[in-house]
Amino acid sequence: MPNRAQVIAELEVRLGRRFENRAVLERALTHASARKGRGRDNETLEFLGDRVLGLVAAETLIEAYPDLAEGELSQLQARLVSGEGCAAAAARIGLASALRLAAEARRRGSSRVLGDAMEALMAAAYLDGGLEAARAVFQRAWGEAVAALGAAPRKDAKSALQEWAMARSLPLPDYRVRERRGPEHAPHFVVEVRVEGRDGAQGEGASRRAAEMAAASALLARLGS
């Protein structure tokens, strides 16, 4: 069985980066279940990593898809930084092999544990080498996913907004009809959507679904600004 130093060295080869701050790297790779009351785990780093990831993902998408509208970019970003997106990135770089986990947590093999650790690793890269280092790790872990976005069908605005909320452990978006006018054969709906802790946005359409889609698109544009 490889020793810890070898495991870390192999991870750094896959990342294309050697960390100067070994302590922050080990912290990013330490799940709360393995801490046993000693040292620090990666939970706080997840908080910072989420912000770093959002910025680097936004930069990358603007460069890769300069002709997309703000709302479309927000949809793509939500897919990349979602829990599933982070877990997939972790799998691409073989992060699981380097994580410090209690035996029970490792047996469960939770994708959330992987996704959270990937966010923590983004924070560790930023703390170790600034945004340049974070961008390099992002390219290794998410580059394939960013390239695939160009060929993949776009998700609708409601799905993208739902993913955005789920990626941040927020309740699902709440849609409410604020106004319905016009005759039965030609109605017009005004719908408002809200996500917990954020201002709402409104959309209009000839059906409730169309108005919901317009509202979701408007809110995504605001969240991406």
Side-chain angles (χ1 to χ4, degrees):
M1 178 179 294
N3 61 33
R4 185 65 182 168
Q6 183 179 343
V7 168
I8 296 298
E10 290 172 353
L11 174 64
E12 289 179 313
V13 168
R14 295 192 294 274
L15 290 174
R17 173 175 182 78
R18 176 172 172 78
F19 281 71
E20 297 295 329
N21 188 336
R22 315 303 289 175
V24 77
L25 175 58
E26 281 290 2
R27 183 180 168 196
L29 298 173
T30 301
H31 185 255
S33 66
R35 189 165 57 86
K36 298 180 181 178
R38 299 188 302 272
R40 303 167 76 184
D41 58 52
N42 62 14
E43 289 186 353
T44 304
L45 287 179
E46 293 169 31
F47 173 78
L48 175 60
D50 177 68
R51 276 71 183 169
V52 173
L53 175 57
L55 173 59
V56 175
E59 282 185 338
T60 303
L61 287 170
I62 288 174
E63 182 176 345
Y65 304 105
D67 297 327
L68 291 185
E70 184 180 27
E72 291 180 292
L73 289 169
S74 295
Q75 292 180 38
L76 297 184
Q77 183 193 39
R79 291 168 63 180
L80 291 176
V81 306
S82 69
E84 290 182 359
C86 289
R92 289 187 200 101
I93 61 169
L95 186 59
S97 65
L99 290 184
R100 290 185 181 274
L101 289 170
E104 180 59 31
R106 190 172 294 279
R107 280 195 295 272
R108 289 198 302 268
S110 168
S111 63
R112 176 162 186 179
V113 169
L114 273 178
D116 290 347
M118 192 66 236
E119 288 185 338
L121 184 61
M122 286 294 293
Y126 172 75
L127 292 172
D128 187 59
L131 279 175
E132 182 179 353
R135 291 185 188 108
V137 171
F138 180 86
Q139 182 57 41
R140 289 285 182 130
W142 274 272
E144 180 182 322
V146 172
L149 291 173
R154 301 282 187 264
K155 290 194 176 182
D156 63 63
K158 288 186 66 176
S159 297
L161 183 59
Q162 179 174 312
E163 286 188 358
W164 188 94
M166 292 173 65
R168 290 155 179 79
S169 301
L170 296 172
L172 295 180
D174 179 34
Y175 295 87
R176 299 191 182 187
V177 176
R178 292 306 184 192
E179 187 178 352
R180 184 190 186 283
R181 57 180 183 265
E184 287 297 323
H185 67 277
H188 187 83
F189 291 85
V190 178
V191 169
E192 181 179 42
V193 62
R194 287 184 175 274
V195 174
E196 185 178 282
R198 271 71 175 179
D199 292 334
Q202 290 192 348
E204 303 184 27
S207 67
R208 177 170 179 166
R209 175 168 173 75
E212 288 176 347
M213 293 285 283
S217 182
L219 185 51
L220 280 169
R222 180 180 299 167
L223 293 170
S225 62

